[in-house]
Amino acid sequence: MDKKVFLGGTVNGSDWRDKIKPKLKINYFDPVVPTWNEDAYKRELQEREDCDYCLYVITPKMTGVYAVAEVIDDSNKRPDKTVFCVLNQDEDHTFTEFQKKSLDAVGRLVERNGGKWLDNLDDVADYLNK
């Protein structure tokens, strides 16, 4: 059976998904669609449940906080399939020191729950491809 990863996290014009997809040797589900509607939401929930891994990449282009809630929820319910990555720069966007400290605390919480916390897309791809 082929493994599959859910690509959750920052949207908002971030291109992290385009950067990681060519590095993946496993299947993936990209929840970003041109038009967000109820069907897209239902499919996202189903894919999150069915995928072997749930990856959440947070970048400074993040404006909402729901992806952070999702990663904590998954690290509690499905720690063995939860992967969290914080990219401190996204084009010309960077996190403040306070935001970095807060996201580090989230990363430590994910790890304490049994999930994986990484800080770059190469390490994420290596981990998922094993």
Side-chain angles (χ1 to χ4, degrees):
M1 178 177 94
D2 288 330
K3 299 268 185 193
K4 189 174 186 183
V5 60
F6 172 85
L7 303 177
T10 301
V11 181
N12 235 26
S14 179
D15 65 354
W16 73 264
R17 287 175 180 83
D18 295 331
K19 290 177 180 174
I20 198 167
K21 287 176 187 177
K23 298 176 184 193
L24 294 174
K25 296 177 184 172
I26 67 172
N27 293 325
Y28 57 82
F29 172 74
D30 184 346
V32 178
V33 293
T35 304
W36 188 253
N37 56 31
E38 188 65 22
D39 288 338
Y41 175 68
K42 288 177 182 175
R43 176 143 189 237
E44 177 177 323
L45 291 178
Q46 190 61 54
E47 290 285 347
R48 230 176 107 201
E49 187 71 30
D50 294 343
C51 282
D52 299 285
Y53 299 102
C54 289
L55 170 63
Y56 298 95
V57 176
I58 303 301
T59 84
K61 286 190 173 183
M62 173 185 78
T63 54
V65 296
Y66 188 67
V68 175
E70 286 178 311
V71 73
I72 294 302
D73 187 43
D74 278 348
S75 74
N76 275 304
K77 294 177 180 173
R78 300 175 279 270
D80 56 325
K81 69 186 245 177
T82 302
V83 182
F84 180 57
C85 178
V86 177
L87 302 179
N88 288 319
Q89 186 159 351
D90 194 341
E91 293 181 337
D92 61 345
H93 296 76
T94 57
F95 286 119
T96 66
E97 283 304 311
F98 182 77
Q99 289 170 321
K100 285 181 195 175
K101 287 180 183 180
S102 181
L103 288 166
D104 285 350
V106 171
R108 288 189 298 274
L109 181 58
V110 167
E111 282 186 327
R112 280 195 308 273
N113 288 343
K116 190 74 172 168
W117 175 32
L118 301 163
D119 65 1
N120 67 78
L121 295 179
D122 288 333
D123 287 350
V124 169
D126 288 345
Y127 177 78
L128 294 172
N129 289 332
K130 286 184 185 174

